[in-house]
Amino acid sequence: MTTPEDSASGSAASPAPSAANATSATSSDVPAFGWSAYAERVNGRFAMLGFVAVLIIEALSGDTFLHWAGLVP
């Protein structure tokens, strides 16, 4: 049985997660550096966000992204 003091300190109720057993929130993959499936999935998600941001910029400004960014006269 745990006492209010134990649950307040967190010592007996739930151990703190360590870096060794951390996993992704959306899959069971362990985050890793370098060329891994996890890194590619995160990179793809950021690419999708960037593409949607470009579409929003074009829709709101009424101009192409390249012209808006000053890359095309």
Side-chain angles (χ1 to χ4, degrees), residues 32 34-48:
W35 296 100
S36 66
Y38 179 79
E40 291 299 313
R41 187 177 304 114
V42 171
N43 186 29
R45 289 176 181 165
F46 278 115
M48 287 184 270

Side-chain angles (χ1 to χ4, degrees), residues 63-73:
D63 205 358
T64 65
F65 176 76
L66 295 176
H67 189 263
W68 178 84
L71 299 173
V72 176

Side-chain angles (χ1 to χ4, degrees), residues 19-39:
N21 63 4
T23 58
S24 170
T26 58
S27 70
S28 61
D29 295 343
V30 176
F33 292 105
W35 296 100
S36 66
Y38 179 79

